[in-house]
Every structure is written in C-alpha cells, then in structure tokens.
Amino acid sequence: MTNVEAEPSAVRSDALPASGIRTYIILWISQWLACAAVSFTVFVISVNIFVDFSAVWIVAAAYAVLFVPFPILSPFAGAFVDRYGQRPALLISNIGTLLNLSILAYMMISGLGTPFYAVCAVGISTILRTLQLAAIESVVPLLVPKRHYGRANGPRMLLTGTFVLAGPLLAYLLLSVFAPSTIVIAECVLVVIAIIVVSRIQFPGVDRPSPEATTQSLGRDVADAYRTLRARRGLLTMVGFLAIVSGVLGALEVAASGTVLGFADDSGAIAVSTSCWLGMVVASILMVVWGVPRKLVMGGLLGAGLVFAVALVAAAVRPNLILLCVGGFIAMGSLAVVIATFQTVMHLKVEQRYLGRAVGLKNTAVTLSHIVGDVGTLVLGISIFANSGKDSGGGVWGWRQGHGWDDVDSPFLKVIIGDGPGRGWALFMMLIGLGVGAVVAYLRYRKPALLHVEDDLPDVTPMDRLSRPTEDLTPVRASEATATPGGRSA
C-alpha cells in the first residue's frame, strides 16, 4: 500500500522547510481569493452570450473565447511551471489578471465597455489561470509533508468551484448594494494581496532542467510528460475517469437547470446551487480534518464516484426542490472527495519534475470533457425543445423556463419521475447517474491496473527521492514495491 507515514526527521527537514504547511495555507488562501475574483467577474458584469449576441457564429466565437483556450494552453502552462518554477508562473498569472481586471474596471467606469470586450476580459483571465492552477496544484509536495497530502488536497475543488456555484447568490447580494465597477475594483484588491503573498514566499529549490533540456520546445516537454504517465500503468485511467466525471458535470449544469426551472423560479435554482456549494464545503472540511479515504482508489476515487452516481439517480426520482438540494449536496460533496483523492495519488506517484505537466494534461482532459458535456447537452436541449411545439414565447431558449419535454406517456416512467415540467431533464439526469455507476463498475472489475496503482507504483515524492536517489521510475509490481528498507511498502 501507499506509504503515507512520515520519513525520518533528517530526511524530512532536508525535504521541506519548517514553515511549509503554514506557507502553503497562506499561499492557497491568497490564490483562492485571486481565482474567486476571476470566477466572480462573469456574474458581476452580467454578460449572457446567448442574449447579448444574436448571430449564432458570434455566440460560438464568444463561447470559444471564454472556454477553448484553457484546455489548449494548460499542458504548455504546466511545462512552463516545470521548467521555470511556481513563483514565476504565479506572478505572471496574478499580475496579468490584475492588469486585465483594472482595464475592465476602467472601461466600465468610463462607459466604453461592450459585451464582447467583457467576454474577452474574462477569457484573458481564464488563459492566465492555466499558469495559476498548474503552479498551485504542483506546489503541494514542495511545502506539505507527505502524510498531509490528503488534507492539503481536501479543499481543491473549492479553488475553482466556489464562485461557479455560490456566485449567483453572492452576485445578487452584492449587486443590490454596490455598482459592478466597484466590485471589480475590490477584486483587483484581492489579486494585489495574492501578488504580495507570492512575492514574499520562499519556495523550496528543486532540480531544474539542464541548459540543454531548456532548449527543446515546450511541446516536447509535454510529450515527455505524457510518455511518463503512460508508462506508469493506471494513472491515465484515473485521468480518463476524472474526465468522464467532468463531462457529466458539464451536462448536469444544463440538465439540473432545466429540471429545477421546470417547477421553480430563479430563487429555486439559487437554492440548489448553494446546496451544491455547501456539499463541497462540508466535504472539504472533513478531508482537511481527517484526510482523504485511506484506500485512495477503492474508497476515494471509485467509492465516492459511486456515491456521486447514486445521488444523481436519487435526485431525479420524482424530483422536487428539497430532493434536488439534498441530492446536489451529496453529489458535489462526493465529487470533492474524487478530486482530492486524484490529486493525492498524482502527488504521490508522479515525480516532481513532471508534476506541472501532468497537472496541465489533466486540466486539458477535464476541461475538454466538460465543454463536450455542456455543449452536447445544450444542443440536445435545442433540438428537442425546438421541435416539441411547446415553446411559449421564450424563443429557442424557452426550454430553460420548463416548456417542452414535459409529457410522460409511459406509466412506468410516471411512477419513477412523475409527470410535469422538467421531467424530461430529470430522466436525463437519472440516465447520467446510471451511466456513471456503470463506468465505476467497469473500472472496478475490468481495470486491475487502476486498482493496484497504490501497490504497483512506488511513491516518488521529494522525501522518497532523498531516501531513494537512484529510484527506477518505471512501474513495478507490488512485490517489488514492498522491498524497501525496513520492510515497509513503498
């Protein structure tokens, strides 16, 4: 099994600074504030690309500006982090974000801003976030002792999910008191705090590429990292599972909205979104206190994935507002466990010099899948509701108000999901949950490499490299992994 016990004190003191945990907490909070500022901007500026832009090609272009650059650039951002370090990446990201938000605030105050410029501003911040996420996710082994990786990764989902889920409620509250430009200026202050923290932190030194290696392209660096992941059996399967879950989440953003708005108003949608956020918060707190599940793959990755699937199915059974709030709370809490477990395995099993690129490749797979799930479900909704004949004045987006796809002819389905507005989306949610459950079962019984990741792959954290400087990075069997000094498993 994975050895998460502390190494001898001499090794530990050489591997990590004495203030590493405190430094990581301060760094994480400051970057969370900066990331939240960017995420919250889209709610503050109140840009809806489906309303503010009429032509379909302009909508597509705006969507591409907002989302497409992130998966394309993430692997190269990870290569930059591996080559030059976390500090330069964070400084570039934070300073660029500050300049971008400052220009946006000026445009809003002067009245020169346009919806398309606002979309571009958010898109630029999203591009800069590729460096931020690659740096903050790969810095954990440099600052946190090995035995605390699970606790450090517990709040990972809060880094990007807080203001996506809680954003509508907070935007409603703040915009009722402050002007949008005032809120953007306050966001700039949060980013300034993040810049100050990064500039004052001393990051531990790590082995950097040789001068010869730095002359090769970043694309070659990314290819090297992919080959490393592929050689360590089971890791790519984990990335694939996380990508599937992300695609499901993208589909749920549309399906859950269609279900809720079928029988509730915007306040109901905000209630469900806030419940999902609270599920993330509670799960994150529990993991910070107790750590991730001891059996990382079976208990954390697949176990929490199964809970996620069951919560979706349960929420879709004759749905009402309370049931959807409870289901969203459980589903997003279990998803936080899945992500924290994945991060912990990556930090244990991927060598530090490849970790930034591994994070970048993961972010690409996850984001692409999310886009496919989101756009695919939107297209499904348009095709179904545009032909349903029940769009009562809402245009092609009338289905968001619950019109169309509501008649349930099957007596069997009426017993399961009921009959009324939003039930078609409820059925879609149920099918998604069943699909995730089927994927978990397949991985459990048909992918032995995934199940034995903890046993077959040696830990390659900075502390392990100090104790095993000549470690073979190729995958090993469990019997070989246990042949370490002292008889402990690697």
Side-chain angles (χ1 to χ4, degrees):
M1 290 198 50
T2 299
N3 173 26
V4 293
E5 297 298 324
E7 297 294 336
S9 58
V11 175
R12 184 166 61 250
S13 63
D14 288 340
L16 298 170
S19 61
I21 294 180
R22 183 174 68 252
T23 299
Y24 175 75
I25 293 173
I26 295 173
L27 178 65
W28 190 93
I29 292 175
S30 67
Q31 292 304 309
W32 178 77
L33 291 174
C35 189
V38 174
S39 300
F40 193 47
T41 302
V42 70
F43 298 104
V44 172
I45 61 180
S46 301
V47 172
N48 187 333
I49 61 176
F50 302 111
V51 174
D52 296 321
F53 306 117
S54 55
V56 174
W57 72 269
I58 299 180
V59 172
Y63 191 95
V65 168
L66 282 172
F67 301 108
V68 173
F70 186 88
I72 294 176
L73 298 177
S74 285
F76 303 101
F80 181 93
V81 170
D82 286 341
R83 183 176 292 190
Y84 301 108
Q86 284 79 12
R87 183 200 295 275
L90 290 174
L91 286 176
I92 292 173
S93 174
N94 293 164
I95 293 174
T97 298
L98 176 62
L99 294 175
N100 187 43
L101 291 179
S102 299
I103 295 173
L104 176 61
Y106 171 77
M107 299 289 282
M108 295 172 70
I109 294 173
S110 62
L112 300 176
T114 63
F116 192 76
Y117 176 80
V119 169
C120 290
V122 177
I124 291 171
S125 294
T126 302
I127 293 172
L128 293 169
R129 194 189 298 180
T130 61
L131 285 169
Q132 182 194 31
L133 292 183
I136 198 67
E137 289 186 55
S138 62
V139 80
V140 171
L142 297 178
L143 296 175
V144 179
K146 181 178 175 180
R147 64 189 182 278
H148 293 313
Y149 283 4
R151 291 184 173 88
N153 288 314
R156 168 58 187 88
M157 194 171 177
L158 295 179
L159 191 65
T160 52
T162 293
F163 283 80
V164 173
L165 292 172
L169 176 60
L170 292 174
Y172 173 78
L173 295 175
L174 290 176
L175 289 173
S176 63
V177 179
F178 302 103
S181 57
T182 303
I183 299 175
V184 175
I185 292 173
E187 293 172 355
C188 292
V189 175
L190 297 180
V191 179
V192 169
I193 294 173
I195 294 172
I196 294 173
V197 170
V198 173
S199 64
R200 293 177 64 88
I201 283 179
Q202 295 296 324
F203 289 88
V206 296
D207 294 335
R208 295 298 174 202
S210 62
E212 294 78 10
T214 57
T215 59
Q216 71 178 17
S217 65
L218 292 179
R220 178 69 179 274
D221 285 353
V222 173
D224 291 343
Y226 174 79
R227 284 192 292 269
T228 300
L229 287 178
R230 187 176 61 181
R232 301 175 74 79
R233 298 177 64 246
L235 292 186
L236 284 183
T237 304
M238 289 180 56
V239 174
F241 177 70
L242 198 64
I244 291 174
V245 173
S246 180
V248 166
L249 193 61
L252 287 175
E253 290 178 358
V254 179
S257 296
T259 303
V260 175
L261 295 178
F263 53 81
D265 55 15
D266 288 342
S267 62
I270 291 177
V272 173
S273 181
T274 303
S275 296
C276 293
W277 174 69
L278 289 175
M280 290 167 38
V281 172
V282 171
S284 298
I285 291 174
L286 293 177
M287 286 185 288
V288 168
V289 174
W290 287 302
V292 296
R294 186 172 181 83
K295 293 184 178 295
L296 294 176
V297 175
M298 286 299 297
L301 200 70
L302 297 183
L306 183 60
V307 174
F308 175 75
V310 172
L312 293 184
V313 174
V317 177
R318 305 183 69 83
N320 56 55
L321 194 58
I322 295 177
L323 187 62
L324 286 170
C325 286
V326 174
F329 180 92
I330 297 174
M332 297 308 294
S334 60
L335 185 57
V337 176
V338 169
I339 293 176
T341 303
F342 174 89
Q343 294 288 120
T344 302
V345 174
M346 294 289 280
H347 290 151
L348 288 169
K349 307 300 181 181
V350 178
E351 193 180 8
Q352 183 67 43
R353 62 194 176 110
Y354 292 114
L355 194 52
R357 285 165 284 177
V359 168
L361 289 170
K362 179 266 295 183
N363 288 341
T364 291
V366 167
T367 308
L368 282 177
S369 179
H370 191 95
I371 292 174
V372 170
D374 191 19
V375 174
T377 307
L378 282 172
V379 173
L380 174 66
I382 293 173
S383 62
I384 290 177
F385 296 119
N387 297 320
S388 66
K390 293 191 175 185
D391 189 339
S392 56
V396 74
W397 300 103
W399 60 270
R400 282 191 175 276
Q401 304 303 320
H403 303 294
W405 206 14
D406 295 333
D407 291 333
V408 180
D409 297 328
S410 170
F412 175 73
L413 288 180
K414 285 183 179 181
V415 173
I416 297 176
I417 62 174
D419 186 9
R423 305 299 167 165
W425 281 124
L427 177 61
F428 186 71
M429 284 178 56
M430 183 176 294
L431 293 176
I432 289 176
L434 293 174
V436 173
V439 171
V440 171
Y442 173 77
L443 294 176
R444 168 65 179 83
Y445 295 105
R446 303 295 296 177
K447 287 294 182 179
L450 174 63
L451 302 180
H452 297 103
V453 160
E454 296 173 67
D455 298 326
D456 289 1
L457 298 182
D459 292 353
V460 288
T461 69
M463 287 188 292
D464 290 294
R465 287 190 57 78
L466 283 175
S467 59
R468 296 194 302 271
T470 59
E471 176 186 27
D472 181 6
L473 297 182
T474 58
V476 296
R477 300 302 302 171
S479 58
E480 297 172 344
T482 57
T484 56
R488 293 181 302 172
S489 60

